[in-house]
Amino acid sequence: MKTLTDELLGIKAVKFAVGDLVKTKASRDAYGMPWLGVVTTVTVLKSDSGETRNLYTVDWVDKEATKILWYDWFDEDLDLVQSGADC
């Protein structure tokens, strides 16, 4: 229940860690496949109103993705492929 309680209070636990392999939810390459990348930094952003968001910097595996996609992503933008701890 800790996760539900945190969500109700507006406290968001970090969803991804440095080293995690992630894929994009909405962005796709020319073949319709999601972009793959490795999380390089995790930053917790807090607004003046008290809202907390997790910001992830991702190093994309495909060189084309590094030219097209931005580096900063949020929880709702990414899916976990493999935890960095499992590599």
Side-chain angles (χ1 to χ4, degrees), residues 10-12 44-47 50-54:
I11 301 167
K12 294 185 179 181
V44 178
L45 303 175
K46 294 183 181 181
S47 68
E51 181 186 4
T52 302
R53 292 195 75 189
N54 300 318

Side-chain angles (χ1 to χ4, degrees), residues 15-21 38 80-87:
K15 187 174 178 181
F16 307 109
V18 171
D20 287 353
L21 180 65
V38 177
L80 181 66
V81 174
Q82 183 176 11
S83 170
D86 295 336
C87 293

Side-chain angles (χ1 to χ4, degrees), residues 9-59:
L9 294 174
I11 301 167
K12 294 185 179 181
V14 174
K15 187 174 178 181
F16 307 109
V18 171
D20 287 353
L21 180 65
V22 294
K23 65 180 179 179
T24 56
K25 284 187 178 180
S27 299
R28 305 276 179 194
D29 65 12
Y31 303 104
M33 301 297 293
W35 296 106
L36 293 175
V38 177
V39 175
T40 56
T41 62
V42 179
T43 307
V44 178
L45 303 175
K46 294 183 181 181
S47 68
D48 293 338
S49 62
E51 181 186 4
T52 302
R53 292 195 75 189
N54 300 318
L55 175 78
Y56 307 95
T57 303
V58 178
D59 185 13

